[in-house]
Amino acid sequence: MNFKEKDANAQILRNFVDFSTKSNQFFTTHLSRTIEEIFDLTECSGEALSKVDVQKGVLLLKRKFKTISNLDISYMLILVARGFKYRLVTERVFLCEENAIFPNFETFPPLKPKLSDDYDIKSAILSSILEGLEKETDELKQEIIKSIPELLEKSSGVHYTGKFLSVNEWLHLIEQEGKWISEEIFRFGDSNLTPWILGNILILQARGWYLQEIPERFKSSDFILTKN
């Protein structure tokens, strides 16, 4: 689900990246004020609810509430990444907390990685996020491993003492170091960090994942992606 306006895609992606370490309460409080009755415990606990995918849920809400902003959409996408689901009752759409996770984030500096100046690339990253929002974490990890195995290969069963970075901080470092192959792709070791894999990594950040620095003696890369 991408919008026709490329600047809308860029704004939604920007907000998703910038706010993905906020708490669920931050988003539910905001959305409760801006979208009438989007949360309803009684309706969400009913048995006759129709399941609605992310694309349809957003589009139905946009039709009903003309004032929904790109910021609202990005907040909803983060909640969906954490296990909230769209449900339809007659013509009313609800965002229901079903097996939701509540990440406990540490405080990170508010760094905003550039990602790209190209709106097509930003749209591609957003497309990857939208396709992966409701995938299980293990499925996202397997997709990352196929492209960049070293980012996850050492993260199982090993305790490291290196510092933690948010994905935002890590991407900011990559940009500062000039590790670009082209306008659209980062260099990660001998591999390419494509927009599609980057989308999966950003979803994992929204679920509470970080990058951890690897001590020199273990290095096949500088960082691993891990759940703190």
Side-chain angles (χ1 to χ4, degrees):
M1 180 200 68
N2 274 2
F3 300 98
K4 294 180 180 179
E5 302 83 2
K6 292 182 180 180
D7 58 335
N9 293 334
Q11 289 174 17
I12 294 168
L13 174 64
R14 177 79 275 157
N15 291 325
F16 186 97
V17 173
D18 292 350
F19 291 98
S20 60
T21 56
K22 294 288 187 180
S23 69
N24 290 5
Q25 185 178 2
F26 175 89
F27 304 120
T28 57
T29 299
H30 171 89
L31 291 170
S32 294
R33 294 169 180 165
T34 60
I35 305 175
E36 183 181 357
E37 298 180 344
I38 188 173
F39 303 108
D40 188 307
L41 292 177
T42 301
E43 295 290 3
C44 285
S45 61
E47 297 180 356
L49 299 177
S50 298
K51 297 182 180 180
V52 180
D53 63 25
V54 177
Q55 179 174 355
K56 186 174 181 181
V58 171
L59 292 178
L60 287 173
L61 285 170
K62 280 178 66 68
R63 288 175 190 166
K64 184 173 182 180
F65 301 100
K66 304 302 183 183
T67 58
I68 287 181
S69 68
N70 292 328
L71 182 64
D72 296 328
I73 293 172
S74 63
Y75 285 2
M76 289 188 284
L77 296 184
I78 293 171
L79 288 179
V80 172
R82 294 180 183 173
F84 283 69
K85 305 290 184 183
Y86 286 104
R87 295 293 180 258
L88 182 65
V89 180
T90 59
E91 295 183 357
R92 301 167 66 198
V93 181
F94 301 98
L95 196 55
C96 300
E97 178 191 317
E98 299 183 15
N99 300 317
I101 58 174
F102 294 80
N104 182 22
F105 291 100
E106 298 178 15
T107 301
F108 292 113
L111 291 175
K112 298 183 178 183
K114 181 180 178 182
L115 298 180
S116 175
D117 287 329
D118 189 315
Y119 280 13
D120 287 329
I121 300 308
K122 291 180 179 178
S123 292
I125 296 171
L126 181 62
S127 289
S128 179
I129 290 173
L130 292 166
E131 290 176 11
L133 282 177
E134 297 183 277
K135 291 182 180 179
E136 296 295 330
T137 293
D138 283 346
E139 186 177 353
L140 296 176
K141 287 169 59 180
Q142 287 305 312
E143 291 177 1
I144 294 170
I145 288 171
K146 289 178 184 177
S147 180
I148 310 177
E150 61 269 33
L151 191 57
L152 284 162
E153 64 182 1
K154 291 183 177 293
S155 62
S156 177
V158 180
H159 178 69
Y160 297 115
T161 57
K163 65 181 179 181
F164 285 97
L165 299 178
S166 67
V167 173
N168 288 17
E169 290 177 280
W170 177 64
L171 292 173
H172 182 70
L173 284 177
I174 293 176
E175 292 173 348
Q176 285 188 318
E177 293 168 0
K179 294 182 179 178
W180 296 84
I181 299 175
S182 68
E183 177 56 32
E184 62 184 277
I185 297 175
F186 290 121
R187 170 71 75 183
F188 185 87
D190 295 327
S191 304
N192 301 341
L193 181 59
T194 67
W196 305 104
I197 296 303
L198 179 54
N200 288 350
I201 292 172
L202 290 169
I203 293 171
L204 290 184
Q205 171 167 254
R207 294 179 181 176
W209 286 65
Y210 307 97
L211 276 296
Q212 187 176 20
E213 189 175 34
I214 302 177
E216 184 69 34
R217 65 184 182 278
F218 293 115
K219 281 188 178 179
S220 61
S221 60
D222 292 333
F223 295 92
I224 55 168
L225 187 63
T226 187
K227 182 75 164 62
N228 188 12

